[in-house]
């Protein structure tokens, strides 16, 4: 099996780990999820982007953790506690702000509860960062249905705006330093901002010209009944997916969450299938969903399903109590479920790199691929 892995498989794997992280507040399990995602990123990341997106999301998770702990110390915690760590000066508030306090007694139970909650959010961010490091947004765009292609292009352009802006700022500041001009301070910021803005405008004009040359935005004519059916199926399917996902994540609605999610997915896929008739584009060398993609996505889905099942029979292991203070323990079966996420790091999921071009060999003719059907 050759070629790069399907980008959608990486996102399904990452979302499976994120689902497992959302079902627990055990710090040992959350640390294991972050370690699994980090190890897979270290083994399977591409040479271009590297692991920088994962590192950026890890830093963001640490910032969220610090902010959550600061809020717990300054604003208090809803969890009562008996072990006082320190007592801050309390700011008196009016009577209409009952239940809210600033300062006062800080307990160990409240800090531990805030720590567990923040660790869960940090683990979710780490899973999203792993998906960004392993699957480029442009490759994921190739696999979108035709009905979502225009929205996907807008999302990809929005996602790549900030990295391009940062790269332009670094390039302009490096050029100014080579010329002996200051690049810091308010004056330096103003002098750097103008070439960065000019570069962003030039890149936008070039992108618009390229999209217009490729026939972007042109659609085919479909009957009104098909358009109404497509809208109803897509909207109803998305509502079903949202309701089913909420039922699965909330814990109390697990009985109706799975049927609603399945029905919503079927309706949304039907609507997207019908909506794809309006798209007049074709895909050049599309990524194929092969056995490796099934293995990677299945490992994430299995980790999520087994963690959800473990929460039904061992909720205490997945949610260690903050009151009274007890040391968390690593449950065996949930930990083994999370370790299934290491399947993408196995050698047989990596594939082989494409063979280098032979000197003097001509490229394949254009007629061997499908041309875009633009009117």
């Amino acid at each position: 099996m050759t070629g790069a892995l399907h980008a959608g498989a990486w996102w399904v794997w990452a979302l499976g780990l994120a689902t497992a992280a959302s079902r627990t507040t055990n710090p040992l399990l959350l640390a294991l999820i972050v370690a699994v995602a980090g190890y897979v990123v270290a083994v399977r990341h591409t040479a271009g982007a590297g692991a920088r997106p994962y590192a950026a999301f890890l830093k963001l998770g640490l910032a969220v953790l610090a902010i959550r702990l600061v809020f717990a110390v300054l604003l208090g915690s809803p969890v009562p506690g008996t072990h006082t760590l320190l007592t801050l000066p309390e700011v008196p508030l009016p009577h209409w702000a009952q239940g809210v306090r600033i300062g006062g007694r800080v307990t160990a139970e409240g800090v531990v509860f805030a720590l567990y909650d923040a660790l869960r959010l940090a683990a979710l961010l780490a899973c999203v960062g792993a998906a960004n490091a392993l699957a480029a947004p442009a490759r994921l765009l190739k696999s979108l249905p035709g009905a979502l292609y225009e929205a996907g292009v807008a999302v990809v352009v929005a996602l790549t705006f900030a990295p391009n802006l940062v790269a332009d700022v670094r390039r302009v500041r490096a050029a100014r330093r080579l010329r002996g001009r200051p690049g810091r301070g308010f004056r330096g910021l103003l002098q750097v901002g103008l070439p960065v803005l000019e570069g962003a405008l030039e890149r936008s004009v070039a992108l618009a010209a390229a999209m217009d040359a490729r026939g972007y935005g042109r659609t085919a004519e479909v009957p009104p009944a098909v358009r109404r059916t497509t809208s109803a199926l897509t909207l109803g399917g998305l509502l079903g997916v949202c309701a089913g996902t909420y039922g699965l994540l909330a814990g109390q609605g697990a009985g109706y969450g799975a049927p609603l999610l399945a029905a919503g997915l079927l309706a949304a896929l039907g609507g997207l299938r019908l909506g794809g008739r309006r798209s007049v584009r074709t895909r050049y060398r599309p990524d194929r969903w092969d056995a490796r993609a099934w293995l990677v996505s299945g490992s994430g889905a299995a980790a999520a399903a087994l963690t959800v099942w473990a929460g039904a029979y061992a909720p205490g292991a997945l949610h260690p109590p903050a009151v009274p203070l007890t040391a968390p323990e690593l449950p065996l079966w949930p930990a083994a479920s999370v370790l299934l996420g290491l399947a993408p790091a196995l050698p047989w999921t990596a594939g082989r790199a494409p063979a280098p071009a032979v000197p003097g060999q001509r490229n394949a003719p254009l007629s061997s691929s499908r041309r875009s059907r633009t009117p």
Side-chain angles (χ1 to χ4, degrees):
M1 290 176 289
T2 61
L5 191 66
H6 198 285
W10 286 122
W11 276 98
V12 173
W13 168 81
L15 291 177
L17 290 181
T19 303
S22 68
R23 304 295 294 189
T24 179
T25 56
N26 191 317
L28 300 180
L29 280 178
L30 294 174
L32 183 61
I33 291 174
V34 174
V36 166
Y39 180 76
V40 173
V41 170
V43 173
R44 297 295 309 276
H45 69 79
T46 58
R52 285 177 295 178
Y54 183 73
F57 275 86
L58 277 184
K59 294 178 182 177
L60 180 60
L62 292 177
V64 168
L65 181 62
I67 293 173
R68 181 68 177 88
L69 291 178
V70 169
F71 280 2
V73 170
L74 295 180
L75 304 180
S77 176
V79 177
T82 58
H83 298 79
T84 303
L85 296 178
L86 71 159
T87 302
L88 299 176
E90 188 170 356
V91 178
L93 297 177
H95 66 279
W96 49 265
Q98 293 182 359
V100 179
R101 69 175 179 86
I102 301 177
R105 191 168 63 97
V106 180
T107 62
E109 288 83 357
V111 172
V112 169
F113 176 80
L115 177 64
Y116 288 174
D117 194 40
L119 281 175
R120 177 165 55 180
L121 182 55
L124 292 174
L125 291 174
C127 295
V128 176
N132 280 275
L134 294 169
R139 285 189 54 227
L140 187 61
L141 177 64
K142 294 172 57 178
S143 305
L144 283 179
L148 297 179
Y149 181 73
E150 296 180 1
V153 169
V155 171
V156 169
V157 171
L159 288 176
T160 56
F161 173 76
N164 291 333
L165 187 65
V166 172
D168 287 346
V169 171
R170 292 178 177 175
R171 176 178 54 82
V172 173
R173 291 181 63 181
R176 289 180 60 83
R177 284 195 300 268
L178 291 175
R179 294 181 176 91
R181 298 177 181 178
R184 299 184 181 275
F186 183 73
R187 183 179 178 182
L189 180 62
L190 292 179
Q191 294 178 355
V192 168
L194 183 60
V196 169
L197 179 61
E198 182 181 0
L201 292 176
E202 290 179 355
R203 190 164 54 247
S204 300
V205 172
L207 177 62
M211 294 170 67
D212 182 69
R214 289 168 173 80
Y216 175 78
R218 302 175 185 177
T219 57
E221 292 293 335
V222 294
V226 175
R227 290 201 301 268
R228 289 192 293 267
T229 305
T230 301
S231 301
L233 287 176
T234 305
L235 182 59
L238 292 178
L239 290 177
V241 168
C242 293
T245 304
Y246 175 78
L248 289 177
L249 295 179
Q252 292 84 5
Y256 67 85
L260 268 180
L261 180 60
L265 285 175
L266 290 177
L269 290 177
L272 295 177
R273 180 83 175 177
L274 289 177
R277 296 183 179 182
R278 300 180 67 245
S279 177
V280 292
R281 69 182 186 92
T282 58
R283 294 183 178 92
Y284 177 68
R285 293 181 180 177
D287 293 336
R288 299 190 179 278
W289 192 279
D290 53 9
R292 295 177 299 145
W294 281 113
L295 177 61
V296 171
S297 59
S299 64
L306 292 176
T307 305
V308 172
W309 175 70
Y313 77 90
L318 296 184
H319 300 278
V323 181
L325 284 176
T326 55
E329 298 180 357
L330 183 63
L332 178 60
W333 288 111
S337 304
V338 172
L339 290 178
L340 291 177
L342 290 174
L346 297 176
W348 54 79
T349 62
R352 296 191 301 271
V358 179
Q361 183 180 2
R362 299 181 60 184
N363 295 330
L366 184 62
S367 59
S368 62
S369 62
R370 295 184 297 174
R371 296 182 176 90
S372 177
R373 298 177 297 165
T374 52

